[in-house]
Amino acid sequence: MGMFKRSNKANSAGQAEERADLSVLLLQGEDMIEQVGRAHMSWGLGSADRWDLDQTTGTITWTFPDKTATASAQILGSFAPRAGSWLWAWANQSLLPGMSRDSRSFCDWAEANGHPGLAQPEIDADEQTASTLAALAFRITGATGYYKGPSGNSYVIITFGPVTLTSADGSVSTFDIRVG
């Protein structure tokens, strides 16, 4: 796919050496998502009764019968399977700017490292391409939590930090992992 090719712009030898190998970054990102997914399953990620995202506070909340889990969150992008498209969060007019800092950070990285096709606001994408974009962005931004939230006919790709678990009895604990 053309968007995964480097720009042919002339660069200094130093800049060329700094360019990251996308295939390695992709494998690392996929591995990181798998690792954090397994770790976060221990508190119930993927089994909540519902999830909500408050853009004004930047907080994602998962609700369970016996507890809630909350974390600070960022939106990387959204994938619309029927439309066959990926939309970076920074280009989504329905999102508050504070929710898309990591999305913008990844796109800035892509442009600076000779991959402008990865930084286009909207990209034609099938599920594999969307997963690739999410894994690369996850790796580059150094996120520690990953959630693919269903939203109507699309999926919102959300990253998050340490999770605060509040039990029905009021007890509170924090779940935090380090990746890499």
Side-chain angles (χ1 to χ4, degrees):
M1 212 181 267
M3 75 174 152
F4 295 106
K5 293 181 181 175
R6 288 194 178 158
S7 170
N8 288 328
K9 292 181 182 176
N11 291 305
S12 71
Q15 286 175 319
E17 290 174 14
E18 290 178 10
R19 287 187 175 186
D21 181 354
L22 285 181
S23 62
V24 170
L25 292 173
L26 174 59
L27 291 173
Q28 290 171 342
E30 290 171 339
D31 186 53
M32 291 167 66
I33 288 171
E34 185 177 322
Q35 286 178 41
V36 300
R38 278 195 311 269
H40 284 292
M41 285 176 60
S42 68
W43 58 260
L45 182 65
S47 64
D49 292 340
R50 64 176 287 141
W51 70 278
D52 298 286
L53 183 64
D54 184 337
Q55 288 192 56
T56 58
T57 63
T59 302
I60 188 167
T61 302
W62 294 274
T63 305
F64 301 86
D66 61 339
K67 67 184 174 216
T68 59
T70 59
S72 62
Q74 283 284 297
I75 299 174
L76 291 178
S78 56
F79 170 59
R82 287 186 190 162
S85 67
W86 170 272
L87 178 64
W88 287 110
W90 62 265
N92 187 333
Q93 298 299 315
S94 69
L95 300 177
L96 294 176
M99 293 303 304
S100 61
R101 283 187 307 272
D102 285 357
S103 172
R104 170 50 49 204
S105 175
F106 172 77
C107 289
D108 290 346
W109 173 91
E111 289 176 350
N113 285 278
H115 306 291
L118 297 176
Q120 297 302 308
E122 188 168 1
I123 298 170
D124 290 339
D126 58 12
E127 188 146 356
Q128 181 60 50
T129 301
S131 294
T132 296
L133 292 167
L136 286 169
F138 187 86
R139 166 61 179 83
I140 295 302
T141 62
T144 60
Y146 178 90
Y147 185 66
K148 182 179 173 182
S151 178
N153 292 327
S154 63
Y155 295 95
V156 179
I157 306 303
I158 301 166
T159 57
F160 58 91
V163 178
T164 300
L165 302 165
T166 305
S167 297
D169 67 7
S171 61
V172 177
S173 62
T174 302
F175 183 89
D176 191 10
I177 60 174
R178 300 285 174 229
V179 180

